[in-house]
Amino acid sequence: VAAMRAHVDSPYIQQYGCGALSNIAHAEENTIKVATAGGIEAVVAAMQAHVDNVDIQENGCNALADITQAEENRIKVATAGGIEAVAAALQAHVDCVEIQEYGCCALANISLAVASLHVALAHAVQASAAVTH
């Protein structure tokens, strides 16, 4: 993560950094560790800085898909700009099956957190309405 932060302009460091974070986060017990180490922000920054680089976008989408296996990382990825980074990758690389697959997986994982928030909000509104009536 430190190397990715220090060398944002290096496509090789960003590509291999995203790949390494993806490999580490693929083991579900490591997803929180990757997030705590700043991995989410590093991946999103790499994707934003190198939108046209198919290898970085593929590894970045894969990393975000792996990182968002953990429920507690889903909102973190969304608030760090992960949704926009994935959407940009999907749009810029429509012919890359891997980006489409990993990107959709990441968005699907993130959407689970959003759905949970909507359900919790709906229950809170219902409880509030019951109390006021």
Side-chain angles (χ1 to χ4, degrees), residues 72-127:
E72 49 270 44
N73 287 343
R74 294 171 184 160
I75 295 298
K76 292 177 186 176
V77 169
T79 58
I83 293 171
E84 294 83 0
V86 170
L90 293 172
Q91 291 172 348
H93 303 284
V94 294
D95 294 330
C96 180
V97 173
E98 292 81 8
I99 289 174
Q100 300 299 310
E101 177 184 346
Y102 301 144
C104 288
C105 181
L107 293 176
N109 287 346
I110 294 166
S111 74
L112 294 173
V114 173
S116 295
L117 289 175
H118 283 275
V119 169
L121 181 61
H123 288 284
V125 168
Q126 288 174 348

Side-chain angles (χ1 to χ4, degrees), residues 24-99:
I24 293 166
H26 191 72
E28 195 168 346
E29 64 273 10
N30 292 332
T31 58
I32 303 301
K33 295 174 187 174
V34 169
T36 302
I40 293 169
E41 295 80 6
V43 169
V44 170
M47 293 176 71
Q48 291 170 336
H50 302 277
V51 176
D52 294 330
N53 186 307
V54 68
D55 296 319
I56 292 171
Q57 297 303 314
E58 180 181 336
N59 285 353
C61 285
N62 195 15
L64 293 179
D66 288 333
I67 291 167
T68 55
Q69 291 179 91
E71 184 176 345
E72 49 270 44
N73 287 343
R74 294 171 184 160
I75 295 298
K76 292 177 186 176
V77 169
T79 58
I83 293 171
E84 294 83 0
V86 170
L90 293 172
Q91 291 172 348
H93 303 284
V94 294
D95 294 330
C96 180
V97 173
E98 292 81 8
I99 289 174

Side-chain angles (χ1 to χ4, degrees), residues 1-28:
V1 172
M4 292 177 74
R5 287 183 187 143
H7 303 284
V8 176
D9 293 333
S10 171
Y12 296 109
I13 290 175
Q14 299 306 313
Q15 174 187 341
Y16 294 117
C18 287
L21 291 172
S22 175
N23 289 338
I24 293 166
H26 191 72
E28 195 168 346

